[in-house]
Amino acid sequence: MLNKFKKHIDQNFSFLENSKLLLATSGGIDSMVMVHLLHQLNYSIALSHCNFQLRGVESFGEQNFVQEYANTNEIPLFLTQFDTEAFANDYKLSTQIAARELRYNWFYELLETENYDYILTAHHADDNIETFLINLSRGTGLEGLVGIPAQNDKIVRPLLPFTRAEILEYANENNIQWREDSSNASDKYLRNKIRHNLVPLLKELNPQFMESFQKTQSYLNESQELVEDAAIMVYQQVAKEAGETIVFDLNQLLKLPNYKSYLYQWLHEFGFTAWEDVYALVESQSGKQVFSPEYRLLKDREQLILSPIIDEIANAQYFIEKDVREVNIPLNLAFCKADDISGASNSIIFVDQDKLVYPLVLKKWEEGDSFQPFGMNGKSKKLSKLFKDEKLSLLEKENCWVLWSENQIVWVIGIRQDERFRIDSSTKNILKIALQ
């Protein structure tokens, strides 16, 4: 496997050779094999381990295992701990989604602060099958079937061509130690149900299933590329761009045998989700509109016009006194006392009112603004970095409002609360602030 792995890296990720690599290391067999392979090939690596504190003593056992491995092999190590359940409850996320958000935000912070070039994760061929089947079971288009990307921005997945069986065989041959996550044995999660029940059946029905699946994914990726190429060619016939505005000629669009598919290819990157409304716009009366968070799509006679939603009060400041219960400009915010913090989310926060200094100030963010993100152990973070991690568009950043208490950020509205105003055991007065 070492030679096959080296050939794969040389052919597809040659840029890793002179890069500083941050390896996501859980302590499980997949990540430990990835660490061993790259260490054997003398790449410049460091380990990064997240303790999500979800499995008590077992979580700390994995942390200690990774620490001991790094010390023994003299590999740099970065460790962090998260209160994942609290974060998931506060933002109404599943535990898995919360862990993913915390993990990747931290990884990207390490890339910047420690000057590493890429994050490497140990996703492999069986993970690809499971993701394919999950998406298939939920209903998906071609994009959901093409598999986990081998590279996505700064994230590289060098084990994707290798099966779980190959990884296990390599680990046994090289006496690699690892920690087994007890949750992997449970069928609580859909992925585990597929892993334990469906995939073995598929392999039983077709002993060459893995090879067949990888060929199918290759064909699907080629088909996706053809779709994207066709969309670009037809776009040039149907659309005209003027700055940030795009005008689609409906006469040309309706000549296409499957215009809905083209509209989806052109518009999904602009954040539209109400597709039936988008498609109906083609034959609706002039003046009808469909909105995404950042854009509007307007029917104007024989055209569809896509344009950004423009904020005309970008430089304004709004002062909010203690007795105010509702603000309608520039946003709809509601303020009320609360007895508990149930219902917290990106659009509803709960703060310790006694920590606030009035009047509160509502204004647009500015370059250089920083805060302490909720759930991130009180570490300071610039809003510009937060927006980069959240992958916000330029328009989203321009339309981001911030709530201030004196010289401290209380809330990056709709995105993240500040840690300094969180509810704790000493809180006597809870204030609920909701974006409506």
Side-chain angles (χ1 to χ4, degrees), residues 154-174:
K154 294 292 185 178
I155 301 171
V156 178
R157 303 176 177 91
L159 289 183
L160 276 181
F162 301 90
T163 65
R164 183 174 283 118
E166 289 178 287
I167 291 169
L168 178 60
E169 181 180 0
Y170 181 84
N172 290 331
E173 288 176 351
N174 291 274

Side-chain angles (χ1 to χ4, degrees), residues 378-416:
K379 297 178 181 177
S380 180
K381 185 172 190 175
K382 288 188 175 182
L383 296 197
S384 57
K385 181 63 174 61
L386 172 71
F387 299 156
K388 181 179 180 182
D389 292 342
E390 295 289 332
K391 295 182 172 56
L392 298 190
S393 68
L394 178 61
L395 281 171
E396 285 177 313
K397 289 188 287 186
E398 289 176 348
N399 290 321
C400 183
W401 289 85
V402 180
L403 185 66
W404 290 80
S405 169
E406 204 168 46
N407 62 347
Q408 294 182 330
I409 289 177
V410 178
W411 187 16
V412 184
I413 295 178
I415 300 176
R416 187 72 63 85

Side-chain angles (χ1 to χ4, degrees), residues 124-131 162-165 199 203 210:
H124 50 73
D126 289 75
D127 292 322
N128 230 347
I129 292 175
E130 293 159 11
T131 300
F162 301 90
T163 65
R164 183 174 283 118
V199 173
K203 291 180 178 179
M210 288 299 299

Side-chain angles (χ1 to χ4, degrees), residues 17-28:
E17 184 175 355
N18 297 314
S19 301
K20 291 179 65 180
L21 310 179
L22 190 64
L23 310 188
T25 312
S26 66

Side-chain angles (χ1 to χ4, degrees), residues 24 39 50 73 114 167 185 250 264 279 304 307 322 348 358 390 412 421 423 432:
H39 192 46
C50 304
N73 292 277
E114 303 297 333
I167 291 169
L250 288 179
Y264 175 82
Y279 302 147
L304 290 182
S307 60
K322 188 173 183 178
I348 299 176
Y358 287 88
E390 295 289 332
V412 184
F421 298 90
I423 306 303
K432 176 183 176 180

Side-chain angles (χ1 to χ4, degrees), residues 282-336:
V282 171
E283 297 182 355
S284 65
Q285 64 185 25
S286 288
K288 291 287 187 179
Q289 303 176 80
V290 177
F291 291 90
S292 76
E294 307 165 18
Y295 290 85
R296 70 169 185 171
L297 189 63
L298 168 69
K299 170 68 178 295
D300 182 20
R301 297 173 219 171
E302 304 303 317
Q303 299 175 331
L304 290 182
I305 301 174
L306 177 71
S307 60
I309 299 171
I310 299 173
D311 188 348
E312 298 178 351
I313 47 177
N315 298 319
Q317 294 188 21
Y318 300 86
F319 297 90
I320 303 170
E321 299 294 344
K322 188 173 183 178
D323 58 346
V324 170
R325 291 292 171 262
E326 188 172 274
V327 172
N328 296 315
I329 297 175
L331 305 172
N332 291 324
L333 294 178
F335 300 78
C336 66

Side-chain angles (χ1 to χ4, degrees), residues 12-217:
N12 300 287
F13 306 113
S14 58
F15 55 85
L16 296 180
E17 184 175 355
N18 297 314
S19 301
K20 291 179 65 180
L21 310 179
L22 190 64
L23 310 188
T25 312
S26 66
I29 183 172
D30 307 329
S31 62
M32 297 312 298
V33 165
M34 179 178 69
V35 170
H36 189 273
L37 288 165
L38 291 162
H39 192 46
Q40 289 291 104
L41 295 173
N42 297 314
Y43 280 83
S44 175
I45 63 173
L47 312 187
S48 57
H49 178 81
C50 304
N51 181 349
F52 296 106
Q53 303 187 75
L54 293 172
R55 288 173 284 109
V57 173
E58 186 178 335
S59 292
F60 285 92
E62 291 166 356
Q63 175 180 314
N64 294 334
F65 170 76
V66 174
Q67 277 184 294
E68 291 175 8
Y69 182 93
N71 292 336
T72 300
N73 292 277
E74 299 181 338
I75 302 174
L77 170 66
F78 300 96
L79 287 172
T80 193
Q81 296 176 7
F82 296 116
D83 188 347
T84 309
E85 289 186 344
F87 183 82
N89 290 333
D90 289 341
Y91 288 92
K92 298 299 180 184
L93 302 172
S94 71
T95 302
Q96 291 175 310
I97 296 298
R100 175 182 172 81
E101 182 173 335
L102 290 168
R103 176 169 69 246
Y104 280 102
N105 284 344
W106 182 60
F107 288 161
Y108 274 104
E109 284 184 8
L110 287 177
L111 287 188
E112 184 172 317
T113 59
E114 303 297 333
N115 296 315
Y116 281 83
D117 299 307
Y118 295 97
I119 303 160
L120 270 62
T121 69
H123 294 91
H124 50 73
D126 289 75
D127 292 322
N128 230 347
I129 292 175
E130 293 159 11
T131 300
F132 175 94
L133 293 171
I134 288 171
N135 291 339
L136 183 65
S137 69
R138 291 172 175 168
T140 184
L142 185 57
E143 290 175 347
L145 302 178
V146 295
I148 302 170
Q151 182 179 358
N152 185 10
D153 189 27
K154 294 292 185 178
I155 301 171
V156 178
R157 303 176 177 91
L159 289 183
L160 276 181
F162 301 90
T163 65
R164 183 174 283 118
E166 289 178 287
I167 291 169
L168 178 60
E169 181 180 0
Y170 181 84
N172 290 331
E173 288 176 351
N174 291 274
N175 297 313
I176 296 173
Q177 302 297 310
W178 70 87
R179 295 286 297 230
E180 196 65 49
D181 183 340
S182 61
S183 67
N184 287 336
S186 168
D187 279 350
K188 176 182 178 182
Y189 301 111
L190 175 60
R191 182 175 292 273
N192 284 359
K193 290 180 181 179
I194 290 173
R195 179 181 302 167
H196 298 153
N197 303 300
L198 183 54
V199 173
L201 178 60
L202 292 171
K203 291 180 178 179
E204 179 184 333
L205 293 172
N206 178 12
Q208 304 302 315
F209 175 73
M210 288 299 299
E211 292 83 351
S212 299
F213 174 77
Q214 288 178 321
K215 286 181 181 179
T216 298
Q217 284 236 299

